Amino acid sequence: MSAEVNPLTVVTPRARRRKLVGVMMEVIATAAAILAVVVLLIVVVSVARKGLPALNADFFTKSPVPFGQTGGGIKNAIIGTIIMTGMATLIAVPVGVLIAIFNTEFASPAIAEMVRLVLNVLAGVPTIVIGIFIFGLLVVGNGQSAIAASIGLSIVMVPLIARATEEVLLLVPPSLREAGMALGATRARTVITVILPTAVGGIVTATIVAVARAAGETAPLLFTSSIFANTVTTDVHQAMASIPLTIFVDSESPSVADQQTAWAAALVLMAGVLIMGIIGRALSLRTRRQIERAR
Amino acid sequence: MSTQVETEIALPRRAKFHIGDLALRVVAGAAAVLVAITLILIAYKVTDEASAALSAFGLGFLTSSEWNAVTNQFGALDLIWGTAVTSLFALILAVPIAIAIGLFLSELAPRRLRAPVGALVELLAAIPSVVLGLWGILIMGPFLEAHVEPFLHDNFGFIPLFSGTPSNVGLLPACMVLTIMVVPIVASISRELFDSVPSDLKAGALALGSTRWEMVRGVAIPQVSAGLVAAVILGLARALGEAIAVSMMIGGTLGRPSSIFGSADTLAARLASQYQGAATALQTSSLAYLALILLVFSLVANFSAQLIVRRIRRRLGT
Amino acid sequence: MLTGAGSTLVYPLISQWEPDYNTKAGVAITYGAIGSGGGIDQITARAVDFGASDAPLSSDQATACKGCVQIPWALGATVVSYNVKGVSNNLKLTGPVVADMFLGNITSWNDPKIKALNPGVNLPSTKVTPVYRSDGSGDSFVFSSYLSAVSPDFKSKIGASTQPPFATGTGAAKNSGVAAAIQSTDGAIGYVAISYIAADALNEALLQNAAGKYPTPNVDSIKAAADAVTTANADGSITLVNPPASAAGAYPMSTYTYAIVPKSSPKAAALKAFLTYAITDGQTFGPDLGFPPLPSAVVASDKTEIASIS
């Protein structure tokens, strides 16, 4: 009996080449992923390394000093960002959630499709154009104000919140809805007392993601809140300092002190965004698990 | 006794009118109408601001490369060119990398790495553009000028593309920043698309003896190609509209340099740097005209992406 | 409280006024240094209470502003700055040579024209990179006015404006942006307001004035220019660039900088008080930043103008 070769185990040169190409492609794909992670790490580490030295108590508790002097901090910018993002959230969350409710509860599929289209197009409008729009609408004749800036930021936030809330509302099992109706509750009552509470985790996640995005937006603030005092103000009819604009202005300055302020402000902003991103993801996973369990 | 139980269970009051329902319907509907009105208002206001320039220059604005506040002559050509070049260049770099990352996350990564690496890629998208611009001006720009550009110039300087003087601002630094912004967007959509390919299709190809790459190339990519096109268009829309980081990196000059080391300007970046302090009213109006062009570009990009997605959904029956 | 916006040239001075005026008069001043062009735009749109510009309003801008007065409230200068490895401070240049650099006619630092002015200096062959303001800028107006006055070529090709159509070089926003660009580019030449030279330790070029001298830009040479030119233009502005040869020590790119306020404003009383402070007590902060005090004749005519605001 001659030794028989199993044809299935013969490796032809062609097969070898195909396998080589396959491995090469996998290496490239892995390298691409590594590249992305490396770039992220480079940016984050640079910001941390350059920004940390400037983070001291003064940085958070003092406002900027006059031209030529040293010291000071970005207290006015931190408070300004918190107030303006907060106001934008107060506008965007009700509007976004209501739109999602409209789409899932009241709209016909065609209308819901149109609303989604409008939301996606609005989400794609460049933020600099939004800034110009709000400037022409609210600032001309009246002056810059935190309110105008907040409205601009809310335009950026609404599509994000509306889309994400709609996704969560759709995840809510129809059985919950039907149960509410079967018990005699009205549509509105069912939505408010049954569906929204179930989806609240997802809405909170959507809000956190939108807040993280709005806190870092610069373009809507350029023409609506760029003339601000070097002191803390809580008057919403005045322009307020903000962290993104502080970074923007100080980054173009030749003074090392200003550049360091920019790095430190970027570090504070990135830390906030990252923390919100982590919390958002954790919440999102938890909500999904909860809803899955309710099915 | 049974009749008592039957009457106790009421039927859903579908037909009965309730004020709460109406109120919620009206309020929710109003919110939906509000966003539509906002969108229309944005288009209207920008067009209104641009009206002086529209009547002064008409469509010739799109083909003129003048930008002179002294003679009051303005044109968008150099800015459209700058926008197109930076966006396309960023896409050429970003799309292969992003699709590769999407593949990695969907097919190649060990299960335990998928979530963390996916999260890191999404974090790249979460970096505010002003922070990327800061990093670009103070770290990446000087690095490009000191190491990358001289290397390209010395070794490939015979190609006009690499023939200029190295600089820390210009087309190349701006394109790099845009690439970093576009990659995560296209990557996360690609990953979702590849995840959505039915596993029996993938398994079938592999069972027939394809390598994983051949399966991707022959089955997965064709399956999701329309979605990938939509993802690329969304990445393009992102690149088109980026004002802040680009304005910090691009040098803010007119002209259409043949070298990627040269400086130029884009529609969005010019708006960021000049809208506030235009020298003449016609210049302000011309800047609004630039905003209108930018708005039209991003609307077209977004609409096309939406249409493609709608067609895919219809085909899949969802 | 008063809100204003505009010139980055006068910003260092205003930033000293803010806390001082708040202590003295209890009024908070909020100022946004967005460039002279922005200041004019904002006050025209009545989005702020006062604008600040180193460039006087053009006739179109004056019409659009609907009854604004421009009040010179500080005296300063724009300075040519450069950054060339191996070349130290105080390089001598003339207006026509600088014009040629910004027109693209002189492209390297060892050009014979520059060498002729600086015989002892070892000039490298580095490429000349002009840096200019990309935003609407009073410093651009001063710079381009001066170059237009001394170089017919510059005047016909580019001209004087807050946003001159420079054909070559790199643009940067605000004085701080130009200063940063100059610092980070070998071979750069640009123009910045005087306070930024000392604050950022930049090189300054010595420009030849009409008398043939190379005065250092400082309060004395700026004052000499202001003393030499006392007649106002039709719109009330005073042009200090390129003063006559009779002023031997005058710095050729000096400039007044103006507060632009509406003749009738709901905040007239507060504005008048602030402007009066600015042209009197506020001037004491000037010299340290490179601003000589306003000449008394200008202060007097300013007071008349201020009185006309209601």
Side-chain angles (χ1 to χ4, degrees):
Chain A
M1 281 209 302
S2 55
E4 285 192 353
V5 178
N6 184 348
L8 284 175
T9 60
V10 169
V11 182
T12 62
R14 185 149 158 234
R16 211 170 299 154
R17 186 169 45 93
R18 284 171 51 213
K19 183 153 187 214
L20 195 64
V21 168
V23 168
M24 225 174 54
M25 286 300 165
E26 293 185 14
V27 166
I28 292 177
T30 314
I34 294 177
L35 179 65
V37 173
V38 162
V39 168
L40 173 72
L41 288 175
I42 290 179
V43 174
V44 171
V45 166
S46 307
V47 171
R49 253 184 25 159
K50 302 239 167 202
L52 268 174
L55 284 187
N56 49 30
D58 271 3
F59 189 75
F60 294 100
T61 54
K62 292 221 175 100
S63 288
V65 290
F67 182 91
Q69 296 179 16
T70 50
I74 61 165
K75 183 176 175 192
N76 58 344
I78 295 176
I79 294 186
T81 289
I82 292 176
I83 293 181
M84 288 192 284
T85 316
M87 289 203 296
T89 310
L90 282 175
I91 301 173
V93 168
V95 174
V97 170
L98 280 170
I99 294 176
I101 292 176
F102 177 76
N103 263 11
T104 53
E105 299 293 322
F106 299 112
S108 68
I111 303 244
E113 189 68 32
M114 243 185 43
V115 172
R116 254 173 258 136
L117 180 69
V118 169
L119 282 174
N120 284 328
V121 171
L122 192 61
V125 172
T127 50
I128 188 85
V129 176
I130 294 179
I132 292 177
F133 165 63
I134 299 284
F135 174 79
L137 195 70
L138 298 176
V139 176
V140 172
N142 301 317
Q144 296 190 345
S145 63
I147 295 181
S150 305
I151 295 179
L153 289 177
S154 68
I155 296 181
V156 173
M157 292 172 78
V158 161
L160 299 174
I161 296 183
R163 283 191 299 207
T165 305
E166 192 179 342
E167 260 179 59
V168 176
L169 287 179
L170 288 174
L171 278 180
V172 173
S175 51
L176 274 176
R177 221 175 254 113
E178 288 161 15
M181 306 275 274
L183 285 170
T186 63
R187 205 63 166 293
R189 205 192 184 101
T190 314
V191 166
I192 297 176
T193 58
V194 176
I195 299 187
L196 277 185
T198 315
V200 80
I203 297 177
V204 170
T205 308
T207 306
I208 292 178
V209 169
V211 166
R213 169 78 189 274
E217 282 290 333
T218 317
L221 303 174
L222 261 185
F223 310 126
T224 56
S225 186
S226 56
I227 298 170
F228 46 77
N230 278 345
T231 51
V232 173
T233 172
T234 49
D235 180 0
V236 297
H237 295 287
Q238 304 292 330
M240 287 184 191
S242 57
I243 299 179
L245 263 180
T246 300
I247 301 173
F248 186 57
V249 170
D250 281 352
S251 67
E252 293 182 325
S253 171
S255 101
V256 176
D258 279 350
Q259 288 174 7
Q260 190 141 62
T261 306
W263 284 117
L267 180 58
V268 170
L269 186 59
M270 290 261 299
V273 164
L274 282 171
I275 292 175
M276 285 193 269
I278 293 174
I279 296 180
R281 283 185 81 82
L283 258 181
S284 152
L285 280 166
R286 212 181 74 144
T287 311
R288 253 160 237 274
R289 282 199 203 113
Q290 275 179 339
I291 293 186
E292 294 294 323
R293 252 181 264 138
R295 278 182 186 273
Chain B
M1 284 248 282
S2 54
T3 41
Q4 252 187 330
V5 174
E6 269 164 16
T7 51
E8 221 102 5
I9 303 173
L11 292 166
R13 289 177 232 175
R14 196 81 61 76
K16 186 157 178 179
F17 170 82
H18 194 277
I19 190 80
D21 272 359
L22 181 65
L24 185 60
R25 184 188 287 262
V26 164
V27 172
V33 167
L34 183 63
V35 277
I37 291 182
T38 305
L39 193 56
I40 296 173
L41 251 181
I42 293 177
Y44 169 71
K45 196 89 184 88
V46 172
T47 312
D48 189 41
E49 303 270 347
S51 53
L54 279 164
S55 43
F57 304 116
L59 284 175
F61 191 73
L62 301 170
T63 49
S64 157
S65 51
E66 284 275 337
W67 195 268
N68 192 327
V70 177
T71 59
N72 243 352
Q73 291 297 316
F74 304 101
L77 184 64
D78 284 357
L79 299 151
I80 297 177
W81 184 92
T83 305
V85 164
T86 49
S87 306
L88 287 173
F89 198 98
L91 277 184
I92 291 174
L93 283 180
V95 166
I97 297 177
I99 295 183
I101 294 177
L103 275 173
F104 175 82
L105 288 173
S106 170
E107 300 290 325
L108 293 174
R111 214 151 279 273
R112 246 178 317 158
L113 275 184
R114 269 176 216 190
V117 176
L120 285 173
V121 171
E122 270 171 48
L123 274 175
L124 201 56
I127 300 180
S129 60
V130 70
V131 173
L132 266 180
L134 170 70
W135 175 78
I137 293 186
L138 296 181
I139 296 191
M140 191 191 58
F143 175 78
L144 286 176
E145 180 186 24
H147 301 290
V148 175
E149 290 178 13
F151 173 78
L152 289 170
H153 182 82
D154 294 338
N155 294 313
F156 304 105
F158 53 90
I159 309 174
L161 204 61
F162 302 124
S163 62
T165 326
S167 163
N168 57 352
V169 294
L171 286 172
L172 182 62
C175 291
M176 289 291 111
V177 170
L178 281 179
T179 306
I180 297 178
M181 290 183 174
V182 169
V183 161
I185 296 174
V186 179
S188 57
I189 300 180
S190 305
R191 186 236 186 127
E192 281 177 21
L193 287 169
F194 287 127
D195 279 344
S196 75
V197 175
S199 45
D200 49 350
L201 272 176
K202 297 193 239 186
L206 291 172
L208 283 171
S210 310
T211 62
R212 209 146 34 167
W213 163 242
E214 285 165 351
M215 178 273 288
V216 163
R217 196 184 58 176
V219 173
I221 290 187
Q223 181 82 356
V224 301
S225 57
L228 285 177
V229 170
V232 169
I233 296 180
L234 285 175
L236 173 67
R238 176 82 176 91
L240 287 176
E242 177 52 43
I244 299 295
V246 172
S247 76
M248 292 158 101
M249 305 294 316
I250 198 161
T253 63
L254 281 184
R256 306 190 288 278
S258 48
S259 157
I260 52 167
F261 307 148
S263 48
D265 214 351
T266 66
L267 293 164
R270 180 140 290 216
L271 287 172
S273 64
Q274 289 198 359
Y275 193 73
Q276 273 237 346
T280 65
L282 189 56
Q283 186 178 1
T284 309
S285 187
S286 304
L287 286 158
Y289 196 156
L290 294 182
L292 184 60
I293 298 173
L294 184 60
L295 192 59
V296 168
F297 279 2
S298 62
L299 284 179
V300 165
N302 265 288
F303 262 110
S304 344
Q306 297 304 321
L307 279 175
I308 294 175
V309 168
R310 197 187 298 196
R311 201 174 302 159
I312 300 173
R313 287 225 190 99
R314 217 167 277 160
R315 217 175 355 114
L316 292 177
T318 46
Chain C
M1 73 154 299
L2 289 174
T3 313
S7 158
T8 51
L9 179 147
V10 78
Y11 167 64
L13 195 52
I14 296 186
S15 79
Q16 311 293 325
W17 291 345
E18 281 175 21
D20 188 55
Y21 192 61
N22 202 0
T23 320
K24 289 203 171 102
V27 174
I29 308 287
T30 299
Y31 184 73
I34 56 179
S36 299
I40 296 176
D41 271 6
Q42 295 279 326
I43 189 63
T44 306
R46 297 293 189 272
V48 291
D49 301 317
F50 66 91
S53 165
D54 325 316
L57 295 168
S58 69
S59 52
D60 286 336
Q61 287 168 338
T63 321
C65 196
K66 296 202 185 72
C68 293
V69 288
Q70 51 194 14
I71 297 169
W73 63 349
L75 179 55
T78 305
V79 177
V80 172
S81 177
Y82 59 92
N83 173 17
V84 185
K85 222 181 293 198
V87 178
S88 54
N89 201 1
N90 294 324
L91 194 68
K92 291 198 170 90
L93 294 171
T94 65
V97 165
V98 174
D100 274 338
M101 291 166 108
F102 274 79
L103 284 169
N105 298 332
I106 294 181
T107 50
S108 46
W109 279 95
N110 58 1
D111 190 283
K113 289 199 190 138
I114 308 179
K115 274 205 181 130
L117 297 167
N118 299 277
V121 179
N122 193 3
L123 291 162
S125 57
T126 321
K127 181 164 171 284
V128 170
T129 304
V131 178
Y132 52 85
R133 289 283 291 274
S134 58
D135 50 338
S137 155
D139 288 286
S140 288
F141 178 78
V142 175
F143 183 68
S144 56
S145 304
Y146 171 67
L147 290 183
S148 299
V150 298
S151 161
D153 202 16
F154 188 92
K155 183 171 183 185
S156 61
K157 292 213 178 99
I158 298 186
S161 108
T162 53
Q163 203 142 44
F166 290 109
T168 172
T170 315
K174 307 189 201 168
N175 266 308
S176 46
V178 170
I182 293 175
Q183 265 185 353
S184 64
T185 309
D186 186 24
I189 180 167
Y191 51 94
V192 290
I194 186 163
S195 316
Y196 293 81
I197 297 283
D200 303 320
L202 294 171
N203 287 332
E204 59 187 11
L206 300 179
L207 284 177
Q208 186 178 53
N209 64 12
K213 305 261 192 295
Y214 293 88
T216 308
N218 57 25
V219 292
D220 296 320
S221 55
I222 300 172
K223 183 168 180 303
D227 289 339
V229 182
T230 49
T231 32
N233 304 321
D235 62 358
S237 64
I238 305 179
T239 312
L240 293 182
V241 293
N242 201 28
S246 53
Y251 178 67
M253 278 206 315
S254 311
T255 181
Y256 282 104
T257 180
Y258 305 88
I260 303 180
V261 288
K263 234 194 197 106
S264 68
S265 155
K267 297 202 178 164
L271 279 172
K272 287 160 83 158
F274 175 55
L275 289 170
T276 312
Y277 161 84
I279 61 178
T280 52
D281 288 347
Q283 297 291 307
T284 53
F285 296 102
D288 286 337
L289 296 164
F291 298 87
L294 288 171
S296 41
V298 173
V299 175
S301 69
D302 280 356
K303 285 190 173 155
T304 325
E305 284 264 40
I306 294 175
S308 75
I309 301 172
S310 55

